[in-house]
Amino acid sequence: MTVPAASRTAGLRTRLTLVVGGAIAAVSVMVLIIAPIVGELRRETRYAGTVIAQVEQDVAALQAAAIDQETGERGFLLTRREEFLAPYEAGRVEADRRIEALRASSIEGLPDAVAEVDHALERWRVEAVEPEIALAAAGRDPGPLILQGEGRRLFDEVRTQLEALGSTVRAESEAARDRIDLTLRHLVTALLVVYGFGATVCLAVWRLLRRWITVPVERLLGEVERVSAGDFEHPIRIAGTSELVAVAAATDRMRHEIVDRLQEANRAREALEQRAPAVVALREELEPPTPTLPPGLEVVTRFDPVEGLLAGDFSDVLVLGDGRVAIVVADASGHGAPVVVRALRAKHLLSAALVSGRSPADAFALVAPQIGEGAGWFVSAMVLVVAADGTVTWAGAGHPAAMVRTPSSPEIVELASTGPVLGPVPGPWEQRTARFPVPWLALVVTDGVLEARDPQRRMFGEEPLRARLAALDPAGPGAPALLVSDLGEELRRFLGGQRPTDDVTLSAVRVGGRAPAGAGSPT
């Protein structure tokens, strides 16, 4: 049995697990190396900052206490006044307290040095100080005893022992600083080693990730780009981890599917080429023509079928013999190719009736019975017959009302439908006439605009049409084209990428405005 390439290759997850495990192990080793050194440094620093510092303070205080005793005794012997013995007594108490504190120290050799100082102080007090103080207190002259020099010799011994004690403490302090310096050197060395080791690990991880991920992905991208450049027969294969190999295989299957569908599309295109001219011709028939309009009239239309090129919506612009213009916007029920024939028939019937001189209502009455011959379908329509002086005559057959914006007010005037749809329901249809101050702007749409829904199923409705029409100046440059373009873009955003569910037609008419250069042809 052949083993698939993906199963023979170590998975990316397994490799990343090993890399992460190795990185964790490397970090653990770094911690094991550095942690003891940091702990030793903390201990030595604490020892120097607390134990030795306290001992140095005690030794300094002991030296001061010894000097206070010697000074107090000398002052008493010279003055025979009791108050001069106070420094002596205080120094003696302080010396005893400091000696007890130093005896408890853990510094090597310090207890012996303290014992020597204590012994020297005791000899000095017993053999010299106390006899001299006793003679002076008794009123006798201690001079002969002082002149023997025994007190000075004994106090010099005290000084010698205090100096030895200080030397012991200084030696321990220097040793502690040396140990701290040595620990710091060890720490710096360890950090350099850890840094080098970490840099090596990071470099190794980078190279492994590049080998396992970056390079295969770049190769896969190159393969895909080669196919996207047009080489559809190029197979997409890479070497790498099982996951990326699987991605390449899936991409290659997609390439096969695209190639198959492209071949099907080519065959369909070839099959349609013979019928394409007919489809385009039908589309052009449904779109409004581009006649030259009388001065002061401008029409712009947007026509978007819901499927392909053909639709049930249609519009027309007819120049009548008396200088008026008829604008037709209509919607035949249904979608797709069958409704196109019906829409085209209804368009030609309405156009012929209007061009022959019939009013909008009479044209509906003439056309409706012929549309009604096809059971199950109908046409909604709105016909406006406008003149450059601002007059409009209209009739509507079950169609959404036309909206008019006059120059005097942003309030929207509705030209409502005047009868039922053309087809299954007999009339009658009325027609109405109004005259607005020029220039005025009208908007006619099919129900595909009003009933469009966004992804949350909310309806587009009339409000965006009213707001956009009210915001425009009817006399503004290119107002009809701007109105149709803005509403088309707003509807596209409203749909949120969805296709509309019905054909969309928007037609804007300006009466009494100054058409821009080249105007007169609807788009």
Side-chain angles (χ1 to χ4, degrees):
M1 181 180 70
T2 302
V3 181
S7 64
R8 295 197 304 265
T9 308
L12 181 60
R13 180 179 299 177
T14 302
R15 298 185 183 189
L16 291 178
T17 301
L18 292 175
V19 168
V20 171
I24 293 174
V27 171
S28 301
V29 170
M30 296 176 192
V31 172
L32 290 175
I33 292 174
I34 294 176
I37 301 176
V38 173
E40 180 65 21
L41 181 61
R42 292 181 61 188
R43 284 192 297 272
E44 291 294 342
T45 305
R46 190 184 309 115
Y47 175 72
T50 57
V51 176
I52 294 180
Q54 183 60 49
V55 168
E56 289 176 337
Q57 182 179 352
D58 289 339
V59 169
L62 178 58
Q63 291 173 338
I67 293 173
D68 287 344
Q69 291 179 69
E70 195 266 343
T71 302
E73 183 227 5
R74 185 176 298 173
F76 176 75
L77 293 178
L78 292 175
T79 63
R80 309 293 176 90
R81 295 169 61 179
E82 290 291 334
E83 60 266 24
F84 281 95
L85 285 177
Y88 171 77
E89 295 297 338
R92 183 172 183 174
V93 173
E94 179 67 12
D96 291 342
R97 188 173 71 85
R98 295 295 181 173
I99 287 173
E100 287 302 318
L102 290 171
R103 288 183 190 277
S105 176
S106 60
I107 296 177
E108 184 179 356
L110 188 65
D112 294 338
V114 172
E116 292 295 331
V117 172
D118 188 26
H119 178 69
L121 278 172
E122 185 65 22
R123 283 189 64 197
W124 174 63
R125 285 195 293 263
V126 172
E127 296 180 13
V129 176
E130 292 179 359
E132 292 173 356
I133 291 175
L135 287 174
R140 298 168 60 186
D141 183 12
L145 184 60
I146 295 173
L147 290 175
Q148 291 178 6
E150 185 64 16
R152 179 178 297 277
R153 185 186 64 80
L154 291 174
F155 194 75
D156 288 341
E157 179 63 21
V158 171
R159 291 179 187 274
T160 300
Q161 296 303 326
L162 285 173
E163 182 62 30
L165 177 62
S167 298
T168 301
V169 174
R170 285 192 297 273
E172 181 62 23
S173 178
E174 291 175 0
R177 285 196 294 270
D178 291 341
R179 290 194 298 271
I180 291 174
D181 291 341
L182 180 60
T183 305
L184 284 173
R185 287 195 294 270
H186 289 167
L187 179 60
V188 171
T189 302
L191 288 175
L192 290 175
V193 171
V194 167
Y195 176 79
F197 181 67
T200 303
V201 170
C202 290
L203 180 60
V205 169
W206 176 79
R207 295 190 63 179
L208 289 175
L209 292 179
R210 176 171 173 76
R211 179 180 176 184
W212 296 340
I213 299 177
T214 307
V215 172
V217 167
E218 289 175 350
R219 290 174 181 168
L220 177 59
L221 180 61
E223 298 286 291
V224 172
E225 287 179 344
R226 180 172 174 179
V227 172
S228 66
D231 189 1
F232 298 114
E233 299 303 323
H234 177 69
I236 299 176
R237 297 189 183 93
I238 64 168
T241 61
S242 57
E243 292 85 353
L244 291 177
V245 170
V247 170
T251 306
D252 195 57
R253 289 194 296 272
M254 182 174 64
R255 179 188 64 83
H256 279 291
E257 182 69 19
I258 291 173
V259 170
D260 292 342
R261 295 197 177 188
L262 183 61
Q263 292 173 348
E264 292 177 3
N266 286 334
R267 288 192 294 269
R269 177 182 55 78
E270 292 170 355
L272 288 172
E273 282 180 350
Q274 295 178 352
R275 289 180 288 173
V279 173
V280 173
L282 287 175
R283 165 65 183 257
E284 291 175 349
E285 283 295 319
L286 291 174
E287 289 181 340
T290 56
T292 300
L293 301 181
L297 298 176
E298 188 177 353
V299 181
V300 177
T301 300
R302 176 170 177 155
F303 175 61
D304 294 325
V306 68
E307 297 176 357
L309 295 175
L310 304 179
D313 283 7
F314 63 89
S315 62
D316 208 349
V317 179
L318 305 168
V319 178
L320 305 180
D322 53 1
R324 297 176 302 155
V325 173
I327 298 96
V328 179
V329 177
D331 181 8
S333 61
H335 301 291
V339 75
V340 175
V341 177
R342 302 169 187 167
L344 190 60
R345 179 184 178 192
K347 176 179 179 178
H348 286 167
L349 289 172
L350 279 173
S351 298
L354 292 167
V355 170
S356 68
R358 286 180 170 80
S359 68
D362 290 342
F364 286 166
L366 177 65
V367 171
Q370 301 179 64
I371 293 177
E373 294 175 359
W377 73 285
F378 59 88
V379 174
S380 67
M382 174 64 70
V383 176
L384 307 180
V385 178
V386 299
D389 63 356
T391 302
V392 56
T393 300
W394 81 92
H399 196 84
M403 302 178 186
V404 175
R405 163 73 155 90
T406 65
S408 58
S409 171
E411 294 296 327
I412 303 303
V413 179
E414 287 193 356
L415 307 183
S417 188
T418 60
V421 294
L422 306 178
V425 181
W429 293 272
E430 300 178 7
Q431 70 182 33
R432 297 170 188 168
T433 301
R435 185 172 182 176
F436 301 109
V438 295
W440 54 265
L441 191 63
L443 176 66
V444 186
V445 302
T446 56
D447 58 5
V449 176
L450 303 177
E451 297 173 3
R453 294 181 182 272
D454 67 2
Q456 287 75 42
R457 304 300 299 161
R458 293 173 297 192
M459 191 177 295
F460 190 69
E462 293 184 356
E463 285 308 312
L465 308 180
R466 290 175 172 273
R468 187 71 66 174
L469 183 58
L472 274 181
D473 178 9
L482 185 61
L483 176 62
V484 169
S485 174
D486 288 351
L487 283 174
E489 180 62 21
E490 186 171 353
L491 179 61
R492 185 189 66 79
R493 290 195 304 267
F494 177 81
L495 291 171
Q498 298 184 137
R499 294 180 63 181
T501 57
D502 198 359
D503 305 321
V504 169
T505 299
L506 302 102
S507 187
V509 182
R510 177 158 62 179
V511 178
R514 179 179 297 175
S521 299
T523 58

